[in-house]
């Protein structure tokens, strides 16, 4: 049995500090003490241990850790800003290539399938070569995919350049960048993960609106070339800031603390987390491809319709900042359950929406829940499995969202083309969210203690 310098407790309880920071030391003498004087001495000694450990933890998050956080923030803002600009391009593709909604939605689904499936491989590359090299390569792929799409003369070319090219690029950036943040932090991991992943919300808010304005002003092909230039300037600059954390570097003797990918795959906790990702994925991605189209069906202008994606981004920003910090205190497992339930419940508002105001409220509520979920998953992986193969584990977890990202928007488009309504899609997503909530609830238990004292 060990003794944790941070918490001053016997290690029969599995505290996060014991796993992340290697605070476990030989247990101090526990001989019986008689009288108030002996008991007082023992209490004072444990207090000194806690104070010393607190001082140690004040320095375990070096200043460069926050540079990595903001580098990840801007990297994610760029890649998902590009990805969700698809909402602004949707009608341009329909008109240019005389395509059905399901055919155009397949572009978004294909891109998501690729970046989620290849995320595991990107994580392995980042664990081996470091996040900077892998993420820079991904930014170049995204810029190339955008430029190639601007030259496309058919939907097949769009599938290849936007769906495959941008999908590969996002895969090379997403998992390595978000996994890069986790090992830099211990006590404030939820907050750091929330800030970093808030880049997704910021990009979702800003970039689609810029893309829509550019399309209105200079048509969609030139708009894509401007996006490609922005990726090269901002995306590459942000990726250059990423660096492997000291805790994730292999020591001269021994292994980095934590589970290997193979060990994680033998864990029940991983598979419950994976099931929650699989069942939540369609609910998470349908609004990005179809909420704007649903608004247009109500006679809402294109600019306001695309603005719904921006409102999802605003809700997501709030969710990532607020929910990440909250989860550090009340527990990430419990918070994940709450957010899964909330995301499904938000669809009830979409189902009854008959005006732009109702759709806008749905977008904000959905974005809050979606942002909270996305900020929690990487931190949960680090809590459960440590730094040893965190990028590989997160990448493997994200493969669970691949089919939902592909089939959700495509199936939603096919259902609409057949029945002229998103009603069946909405109820199916509510049911899947209920399953995701139940799967997430299995993570609440003695195997995970995410609540950390101040």
């Amino acid at each position: 049995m060990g003794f944790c310098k941070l918490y001053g407790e016997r290690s029969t309880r599995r505290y996060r500090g014991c796993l992340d920071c290697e605070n476990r030391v030989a247990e101090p003498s526990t001989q019986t003490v008689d009288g108030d004087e002996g008991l007082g001495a023992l209490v004072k000694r444990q207090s000194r241990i806690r104070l010393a450990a607190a001082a140690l933890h004040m320095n375990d998050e070096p200043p460069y850790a926050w540079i990595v956080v903001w580098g990840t923030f801007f990297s994610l803002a760029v890649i998902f800003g590009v990805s969700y600009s698809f909402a602004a391009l949707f009608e341009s593709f329909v008109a240019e290539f005389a395509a059905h909604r399901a055919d155009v939605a397949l572009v978004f689904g294909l891109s998501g399938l690729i970046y989620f499936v290849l995320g595991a491989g990107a994580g392995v590359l980042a664990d081996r070569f470091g996040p900077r090299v892998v993420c820079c390569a991904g930014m170049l792929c995204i810029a190339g995919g955008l430029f190639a799409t601007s030259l496309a003369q058919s939907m097949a070319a769009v599938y290849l350049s936007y769906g495959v090219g941008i999908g590969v690029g996002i895969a090379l950036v997403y998992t390595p960048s978000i996994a890069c943040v986790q090992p830099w932090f211990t006590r404030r991991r939820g907050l750091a993960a929330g800030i970093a992943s808030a880049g997704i919300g910021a990009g979702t808010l800003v970039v689609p609106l810029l893309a829509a304005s550019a399309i209105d002003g200079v048509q969609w092909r030139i708009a894509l070339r401007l996006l490609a230039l922005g990726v090269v300037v901002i995306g590459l600059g942000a990726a250059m800031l990423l660096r492997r954390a000291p805790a994730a570097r292999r020591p001269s003797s021994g292994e980095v603390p934590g589970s290997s990918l193979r060990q994680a795959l033998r864990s029940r906790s991983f598979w419950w987390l994976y099931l929650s990702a699989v069942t939540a994925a369609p609910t998470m991605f349908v609004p990005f491809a179809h909420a704007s189209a649903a608004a247009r069906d109500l006679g809402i202008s294109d600019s306001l319709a695309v603005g719904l994606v921006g409102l999802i981004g605003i809700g997501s920003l709030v969710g990532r900042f607020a929910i990440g910090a909250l989860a550090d205190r009340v527990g990430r497992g419990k918070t994940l359950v709450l957010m899964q339930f909330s995301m499904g419940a938000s669809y009830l508002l979409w189902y009854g929406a008959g005006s732009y105001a109702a759709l806008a409220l749905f977008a904000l509520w959905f974005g809050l829940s979606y942002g909270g979920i996305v900020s929690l998953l990487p931190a949960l992986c680090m809590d459960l499995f440590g730094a040893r193969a965190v990028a590989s584990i997160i990448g493997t977890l994200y493969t669970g969202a691949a089919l939902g990202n592909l089939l959700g928007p495509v199936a939603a488009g096919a259902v609409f083309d057949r029945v002229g309504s998103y009603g069946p899609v909405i109820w199916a997503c509510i049911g899947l969210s209920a399953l995701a909530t139940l799967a997430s609830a299995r993570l609440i238990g003695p195997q995970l203690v995410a609540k950390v004292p101040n």
Side-chain angles (χ1 to χ4, degrees):
M1 187 181 298
F3 187 83
C4 176
K5 291 188 293 185
L6 175 59
Y7 296 102
E9 299 284 351
R10 296 180 182 224
S11 61
T12 50
R13 293 183 67 186
R14 196 175 177 189
Y15 286 95
R16 194 182 72 185
C18 298
L19 295 175
D20 293 347
C21 306
E22 299 179 296
N23 285 323
R24 191 169 296 164
V25 295
E27 186 174 0
S29 174
T30 57
Q31 67 268 25
T32 303
V33 292
D34 296 320
D36 292 341
E37 182 178 354
L39 180 60
L42 181 58
V43 170
K44 288 180 180 178
R45 183 170 63 175
Q46 289 190 346
S47 296
R48 287 196 299 269
I49 290 172
R50 290 189 180 96
L51 288 173
L56 179 150
H57 274 264
M58 288 298 291
N59 296 320
D60 67 354
E61 295 170 357
Y64 199 83
W66 293 103
I67 295 177
V68 171
V69 167
W70 289 108
T72 300
F73 176 95
F74 284 103
S75 294
L76 296 178
V78 167
I79 66 173
F80 283 101
V82 168
S83 177
Y84 296 140
S85 291
F86 179 80
L89 294 162
F90 195 99
E91 290 301 320
S92 296
F93 288 156
V94 169
E96 181 77 17
F97 303 112
H100 294 292
R101 288 188 181 185
D103 297 331
V104 175
L106 180 59
V107 179
F108 182 80
L110 179 62
S111 175
L113 173 71
I114 289 173
Y115 70 68
F116 280 124
V117 168
L118 296 186
V124 172
L125 291 174
D127 285 335
R128 181 170 182 181
F129 299 109
R132 180 184 298 167
V133 172
V134 179
C135 290
C136 286
M139 291 297 182
L140 292 175
C141 283
I142 294 170
L146 288 168
F147 185 79
T149 303
S150 75
L151 304 176
Q153 298 300 317
S154 67
M155 281 302 300
V158 175
Y159 291 143
L160 182 62
S161 58
Y162 197 108
V164 177
I166 293 177
V168 170
I170 293 176
L172 292 173
V173 178
Y174 184 23
T175 299
S177 62
I178 197 67
C180 175
V181 172
Q182 315 306 318
W184 283 95
F185 293 88
T186 52
R187 292 172 61 83
R188 294 178 289 181
R189 179 174 297 142
L191 176 62
I195 294 173
S197 64
I200 301 176
T204 303
L205 170 63
V206 174
V207 181
L209 294 177
L210 293 176
S213 298
I215 291 170
D216 289 340
V218 295
Q219 65 95 12
W220 68 272
R221 294 183 186 274
I222 296 177
L224 284 173
R225 293 167 195 171
L226 293 174
L227 279 177
L229 179 62
V231 171
V232 171
V233 174
I234 301 175
L236 273 180
M240 290 296 294
L241 298 175
L242 303 182
R243 183 186 299 175
R244 196 196 305 266
R249 295 172 187 158
R250 186 185 300 272
S252 56
S253 59
E255 296 284 345
V256 175
S259 302
S260 67
L261 177 59
R262 180 175 296 180
Q263 290 168 333
L265 293 177
R266 293 199 296 264
S267 164
R268 286 186 179 181
S269 296
F270 176 85
W271 289 109
W272 283 117
L273 197 59
Y274 193 86
L275 180 60
S276 74
V278 170
T279 49
T283 310
M284 293 176 73
F285 295 107
V286 164
F288 289 104
H290 291 282
S292 297
R296 293 187 186 98
D297 293 337
L298 293 176
I300 295 167
S301 67
D302 283 351
S303 60
L304 288 176
V306 173
L308 289 174
V309 178
L311 290 177
I312 292 175
I314 292 174
S316 177
L317 279 170
V318 175
R320 292 167 202 272
F321 280 102
I323 302 304
L326 176 66
D328 283 339
R329 296 185 175 274
V330 304
R332 282 186 268 278
K334 293 179 181 178
T335 309
L336 180 62
V337 171
L338 177 62
M339 290 298 101
Q340 296 280 22
F341 177 82
S342 175
M343 184 170 67
S346 71
Y347 269 65
L348 293 172
L349 193 55
W350 185 5
Y351 182 76
S355 65
Y356 182 77
L359 284 174
L361 186 57
F362 159 73
L364 289 169
W365 182 1
F366 167 79
L368 174 73
S369 308
Y370 157 79
I373 292 169
V374 173
S375 70
L376 288 169
L377 293 180
L380 275 166
C381 285
M382 184 68 191
D383 288 345
L384 289 166
F385 307 113
R388 180 178 175 185
V390 64
S392 303
I393 293 169
I394 292 173
T396 303
L397 173 66
Y398 285 168
T399 64
L403 284 178
N405 187 83
L406 171 65
L407 298 180
V410 174
V415 168
F416 183 90
D417 289 339
R418 177 176 290 269
V419 304
S421 169
Y422 286 111
V425 175
I426 291 171
W427 286 111
C429 288
I430 291 172
L432 288 171
S433 283
L435 294 177
T437 301
L438 293 174
S440 300
R442 299 303 299 264
L443 294 169
I444 302 175
Q447 80 277 7
L448 176 65
V449 179
K451 186 175 180 178
V452 181
N454 293 324

